[in-house]
Amino acid sequence: MSADLKKYIRSVKDFPVQGIMFRDITTLLIDPKALKIALSELMDFIDGLKIDKVIGIESRGFIFGAMMAEKLGVGFAPIRKPGKLPAEKVKETYRLEYGTDSIEIHKDAVNPGDKVLLHDDLLATGGTAKAAANLIEKLGGEIVLISFLIELTFLKGREKLGDYNIKSLISYDSE
Amino acid sequence: MSADLKKYIRSVKDFPVQGIMFRDITTLLIDPKALKIALSELMDFIDGLKIDKVIGIESRGFIFGAMMAEKLGVGFAPIRKPGKLPAEKVKETYRLEYGTDSIEIHKDAVNPGDKVLLHDDLLATGGTAKAAANLIEKLGGEIVLISFLIELTFLKGREKLGDYNIKSLISYDSE
């Protein structure tokens, strides 16, 4: 966890709805030094693990996901909202506070036995990340690391995710 | 234009709607060698230009946009669909075949005089890229390069964009 990077995150009250404190990473991304440090610290999470590919969750998960894939010299695959991916795919539906949401991955994004680094920008309740992990495992992939830029620890997403190797760079203990 | 990279693009008939041949970049992204070559050829487009930041268009434009920013050691800023960016922003609305669409950028994403590399994965009719260029110029940025992975030349987006320095890696002359 990087205390220094926290100062690059912008907190926006009542976004997208009343009562939510939104943690905005665009103020980190726009700063060349902060971007470099964040990527370097995310790469440190890998810590010698063998990674065959990086999978990022739409759409902010594409940003550091793609940079990590490039640094590792491996391929990148997106997990997207329904209706965006054109070829054969699998879908996972998960529960939200009100209603449900779904995400999809191409079947050829993962080969059985692939060692996968799953990345998203934010760990909140863990619903999306859990669904993403399910998709990867349905296709026979092995998740060796799940990395996040930000973790909202008070929402206990880590508990929902369970036994994975989960790392986050910046954490918030309360709203 | 890279003939070699074209073989990594998957063409999907009738997606997202009947009559459209969709050019799918996920088959390029998943291949470590193709990903590396594509990024290297995109970087060649810069050709000594001074770049202060890279701006990528949601969401596939985030992928190579982020990688280019990292390679250049500059910051990255996203242009997003309405309602996604939490802080002060400007919006641009543009015409589609039926109806309109809008995109937004944070006001603090661009400083007056910034030399900007604008990136998206696909140049089709040019509507989105033109709106993105307008947003950047509204904030006082100077667009020194607009890069695309794929250009559908038969849709003449380049004409709509006008006088910019426009480069694309892979082009299709017909559907």
Tab-separated table of all heavy atoms in Angstrom, chain A residues 21-41:
chain	number	residue	atom	x	y	z
A	21	MET	N	-18.624	8.553	-1.941
A	21	MET	CA	-17.384	9.305	-2.142
A	21	MET	C	-16.612	8.588	-3.253
A	21	MET	O	-16.106	7.487	-3.059
A	21	MET	CB	-16.581	9.306	-0.843
A	21	MET	CG	-15.282	10.069	-0.930
A	21	MET	SD	-15.512	11.852	-1.167
A	21	MET	CE	-15.717	12.364	0.558
A	22	PHE	N	-16.552	9.225	-4.410
A	22	PHE	CA	-15.926	8.597	-5.581
A	22	PHE	C	-14.421	8.846	-5.557
A	22	PHE	O	-13.975	9.977	-5.365
A	22	PHE	CB	-16.538	9.192	-6.851
A	22	PHE	CG	-16.099	8.511	-8.117
A	22	PHE	CD1	-16.749	7.373	-8.568
A	22	PHE	CD2	-15.035	9.008	-8.861
A	22	PHE	CE1	-16.346	6.740	-9.745
A	22	PHE	CE2	-14.632	8.384	-10.038
A	22	PHE	CZ	-15.288	7.237	-10.472
A	23	ARG	N	-13.653	7.795	-5.747
A	23	ARG	CA	-12.194	7.929	-5.779
A	23	ARG	C	-11.761	7.953	-7.237
A	23	ARG	O	-11.885	6.952	-7.950
A	23	ARG	CB	-11.540	6.760	-5.042
A	23	ARG	CG	-12.060	6.541	-3.618
A	23	ARG	CD	-11.836	7.744	-2.711
A	23	ARG	NE	-12.381	7.486	-1.362
A	23	ARG	CZ	-12.186	8.270	-0.315
A	23	ARG	NH1	-11.513	9.404	-0.450
A	23	ARG	NH2	-12.696	7.963	0.859
A	24	ASP	N	-11.289	9.101	-7.672
A	24	ASP	CA	-11.020	9.366	-9.084
A	24	ASP	C	-9.532	9.176	-9.381
A	24	ASP	O	-8.688	9.888	-8.830
A	24	ASP	CB	-11.461	10.812	-9.380
A	24	ASP	CG	-11.165	11.253	-10.804
A	24	ASP	OD1	-10.976	10.382	-11.669
A	24	ASP	OD2	-11.119	12.481	-11.030
A	25	ILE	N	-9.221	8.244	-10.277
A	25	ILE	CA	-7.809	7.968	-10.593
A	25	ILE	C	-7.270	8.849	-11.724
A	25	ILE	O	-6.089	8.790	-12.044
A	25	ILE	CB	-7.562	6.484	-10.955
A	25	ILE	CG1	-8.268	6.088	-12.269
A	25	ILE	CG2	-7.985	5.559	-9.816
A	25	ILE	CD1	-7.805	4.751	-12.841
A	26	THR	N	-8.132	9.673	-12.345
A	26	THR	CA	-7.634	10.438	-13.500
A	26	THR	C	-6.537	11.432	-13.095
A	26	THR	O	-5.666	11.751	-13.898
A	26	THR	CB	-8.759	11.204	-14.240
A	26	THR	OG1	-9.287	12.231	-13.408
A	26	THR	CG2	-9.863	10.269	-14.679
A	27	THR	N	-6.582	11.886	-11.842
A	27	THR	CA	-5.565	12.827	-11.356
A	27	THR	C	-4.214	12.125	-11.121
A	27	THR	O	-3.174	12.779	-11.118
A	27	THR	CB	-6.064	13.498	-10.061
A	27	THR	OG1	-6.865	12.553	-9.320
A	27	THR	CG2	-6.954	14.686	-10.392
A	28	LEU	N	-4.258	10.822	-10.940
A	28	LEU	CA	-3.010	10.042	-10.878
A	28	LEU	C	-2.484	9.775	-12.290
A	28	LEU	O	-1.294	9.936	-12.575
A	28	LEU	CB	-3.274	8.729	-10.132
A	28	LEU	CG	-2.098	7.784	-9.890
A	28	LEU	CD1	-2.331	6.929	-8.648
A	28	LEU	CD2	-1.831	6.860	-11.071
A	29	LEU	N	-3.403	9.396	-13.185
A	29	LEU	CA	-3.011	9.040	-14.555
A	29	LEU	C	-2.354	10.208	-15.295
A	29	LEU	O	-1.474	10.001	-16.138
A	29	LEU	CB	-4.236	8.590	-15.357
A	29	LEU	CG	-4.932	7.312	-14.888
A	29	LEU	CD1	-6.264	7.140	-15.630
A	29	LEU	CD2	-4.049	6.094	-15.107
A	30	ILE	N	-2.819	11.400	-14.999
A	30	ILE	CA	-2.357	12.571	-15.746
A	30	ILE	C	-0.964	13.022	-15.285
A	30	ILE	O	-0.302	13.816	-15.964
A	30	ILE	CB	-3.392	13.732	-15.591
A	30	ILE	CG1	-3.273	14.732	-16.739
A	30	ILE	CG2	-3.277	14.430	-14.267
A	30	ILE	CD1	-3.696	14.242	-18.051
A	31	ASP	N	-0.532	12.523	-14.137
A	31	ASP	CA	0.770	12.917	-13.591
A	31	ASP	C	1.835	11.883	-13.979
A	31	ASP	O	1.790	10.741	-13.510
A	31	ASP	CB	0.663	13.021	-12.066
A	31	ASP	CG	1.920	13.615	-11.466
A	31	ASP	OD1	2.955	12.908	-11.427
A	31	ASP	OD2	1.881	14.792	-11.056
A	32	PRO	N	2.784	12.261	-14.828
A	32	PRO	CA	3.749	11.269	-15.329
A	32	PRO	C	4.486	10.530	-14.209
A	32	PRO	O	4.702	9.326	-14.309
A	32	PRO	CB	4.730	12.121	-16.153
A	32	PRO	CG	3.987	13.352	-16.513
A	32	PRO	CD	3.021	13.600	-15.396
A	33	LYS	N	4.844	11.260	-13.163
A	33	LYS	CA	5.613	10.626	-12.088
A	33	LYS	C	4.739	9.635	-11.313
A	33	LYS	O	5.158	8.502	-11.030
A	33	LYS	CB	6.156	11.702	-11.133
A	33	LYS	CG	7.332	11.235	-10.307
A	33	LYS	CD	7.816	12.339	-9.364
A	33	LYS	CE	7.045	12.303	-8.065
A	33	LYS	NZ	6.971	13.596	-7.362
A	34	ALA	N	3.525	10.056	-10.991
A	34	ALA	CA	2.615	9.176	-10.247
A	34	ALA	C	2.257	7.943	-11.067
A	34	ALA	O	2.193	6.817	-10.545
A	34	ALA	CB	1.349	9.943	-9.864
A	35	LEU	N	2.054	8.129	-12.364
A	35	LEU	CA	1.729	7.012	-13.256
A	35	LEU	C	2.864	5.996	-13.257
A	35	LEU	O	2.640	4.782	-13.144
A	35	LEU	CB	1.494	7.561	-14.674
A	35	LEU	CG	1.121	6.573	-15.772
A	35	LEU	CD1	-0.239	5.958	-15.503
A	35	LEU	CD2	1.099	7.274	-17.142
A	36	LYS	N	4.067	6.501	-13.333
A	36	LYS	CA	5.248	5.638	-13.372
A	36	LYS	C	5.407	4.857	-12.060
A	36	LYS	O	5.679	3.648	-12.073
A	36	LYS	CB	6.473	6.534	-13.624
A	36	LYS	CG	7.738	5.805	-14.003
A	36	LYS	CD	8.889	6.814	-14.081
A	36	LYS	CE	10.223	6.117	-14.012
A	36	LYS	NZ	10.811	5.938	-15.344
A	37	ILE	N	5.224	5.562	-10.951
A	37	ILE	CA	5.365	4.903	-9.643
A	37	ILE	C	4.270	3.856	-9.463
A	37	ILE	O	4.529	2.731	-9.019
A	37	ILE	CB	5.307	5.935	-8.488
A	37	ILE	CG1	6.537	6.856	-8.543
A	37	ILE	CG2	5.229	5.237	-7.137
A	37	ILE	CD1	6.432	8.070	-7.618
A	38	ALA	N	3.032	4.214	-9.833
A	38	ALA	CA	1.915	3.274	-9.666
A	38	ALA	C	2.168	2.008	-10.475
A	38	ALA	O	1.997	0.888	-9.974
A	38	ALA	CB	0.600	3.927	-10.088
A	39	LEU	N	2.601	2.161	-11.715
A	39	LEU	CA	2.864	0.984	-12.551
A	39	LEU	C	3.991	0.148	-11.958
A	39	LEU	O	3.898	-1.083	-11.889
A	39	LEU	CB	3.210	1.423	-13.983
A	39	LEU	CG	3.548	0.274	-14.932
A	39	LEU	CD1	2.395	-0.716	-15.053
A	39	LEU	CD2	3.928	0.823	-16.316
A	40	SER	N	5.015	0.823	-11.499
A	40	SER	CA	6.156	0.112	-10.927
A	40	SER	C	5.734	-0.676	-9.678
A	40	SER	O	6.139	-1.831	-9.481
A	40	SER	CB	7.250	1.134	-10.622
A	40	SER	OG	8.172	0.612	-9.724
A	41	GLU	N	4.875	-0.069	-8.848
A	41	GLU	CA	4.428	-0.768	-7.632
A	41	GLU	C	3.472	-1.916	-7.962
A	41	GLU	O	3.480	-2.951	-7.291
A	41	GLU	CB	3.807	0.228	-6.644
A	41	GLU	CG	4.856	1.230	-6.141
A	41	GLU	CD	4.395	2.064	-4.942
A	41	GLU	OE1	3.262	1.860	-4.457
A	41	GLU	OE2	5.178	2.931	-4.505
